[in-house]
Amino acid sequence: MTEMQQKILFSEEAIHQKVQEIAAAISQRYPEGEIVLVGILKGAFVFTADLARAIDRPCRIDFVRISSYGSGTESSGKLNITLDVTLDIADKHVILVDDIVDTGLTIADYKKVLEQRGPKTLEICALIDKTGRREKAVDIDYSGFQIEDGFVVGYGLDCDEQYRNLRCVSVLE
Ligand code: IMP
């Protein structure tokens, strides 16, 4: 695969700053009790790792693999859970950590699944809120950056499994 043109959108420094801000807000929000961070693979693996290390509170960390798929061009919003949470989240402060919220179908549906398991609180944290193609309303409690549209890569985000190891977030052109 030929490398596509990349234009830096969010620098390593800007991302680092945002991660610190979000982590500080989370640490402040939960002075008591344990936090369970649930990172959504694969895209949120870098963000989850950095966020976890910046949070100044006891944390447990889990990862899930979920996707939303449809038939043809219309997304049916059917949730596909390949790897589910393994930790007991009942009565815990749970934060779902995503790389980017696009249509919102995946995270909105999975949040409903987790709600059934009786967490004490359940919030959503996304590095990027891509607002232009939203199909399901999602309450994002902590978001780093907002973009309208465009395909972005880096800091965990991929295009055909490439670019996940970029330290910044770039737009593919
Ligand atoms: P949705 O919100 O259900 O549409 O799905 C969001 C998921 O689609 C994200 O967690 C990413 O895995 C993927 N995705 C959406 N937009 C982008 C992008 O710009 N770059 C890389 N992956 C994306």
Side-chain angles (χ1 to χ4, degrees):
M1 180 183 170
T2 42
E3 288 251 322
M4 295 171 78
Q5 286 288 334
Q6 303 156 37
K7 194 177 116 218
I8 294 179
L9 190 61
F10 306 122
S11 67
E12 187 178 355
E13 294 72 27
I15 295 169
H16 177 78
Q17 182 59 37
K18 281 288 179 201
V19 171
Q20 301 306 309
E21 285 170 21
I22 294 171
I26 291 173
S27 305
Q28 228 177 25
R29 163 96 169 85
Y30 299 107
E32 308 274 325
E34 193 180 80
I35 300 165
V36 180
L37 294 180
V38 178
I40 302 179
L41 294 173
K42 296 182 191 175
F45 81 104
V46 181
F47 181 38
T48 307
D50 283 350
L51 187 67
R53 287 177 293 174
I55 291 174
D56 191 21
R57 300 283 316 134
C59 278
R60 283 180 207 253
I61 299 158
D62 208 345
F63 285 96
V64 297
R65 189 121 194 234
I66 54 174
S67 58
S68 178
Y69 58 89
S71 49
T73 52
E74 283 293 300
S75 175
S76 68
K78 190 164 166 36
L79 186 68
N80 185 26
I81 304 174
T82 318
L83 175 68
D84 206 350
V85 144
T86 54
L87 294 175
D88 179 10
I89 61 164
D91 218 28
K92 301 281 187 339
H93 296 303
V94 178
I95 302 175
L96 252 176
V97 184
D98 206 356
D99 52 355
I100 185 164
V101 177
D102 185 10
T103 64
L105 294 170
T106 317
I107 201 151
D109 287 349
Y110 192 61
K111 188 179 182 194
K112 280 193 204 131
V113 171
L114 292 190
E115 271 162 0
Q116 308 299 314
R117 302 183 189 163
K120 188 177 275 177
T121 59
L122 177 55
E123 294 191 306
I124 289 178
C125 174
L127 180 71
I128 301 170
D129 180 7
K130 182 154 78 174
T131 56
R133 301 183 342 126
R134 195 63 40 85
E135 290 180 35
K136 247 185 201 177
V138 182
D139 214 353
I140 303 177
D141 302 278
Y142 313 92
S143 82
F145 303 97
Q146 269 205 356
I147 58 173
E148 168 73 19
D149 211 346
F151 200 83
V152 293
V153 295
Y155 198 71
L157 289 128
D158 79 310
C159 177
D160 198 18
E161 294 302 328
Q162 284 196 329
Y163 310 106
R164 290 196 197 274
N165 60 329
L166 292 181
R167 290 167 178 266
C168 55
V169 169
S170 294
V171 187
L172 283 188
E173 298 182 318

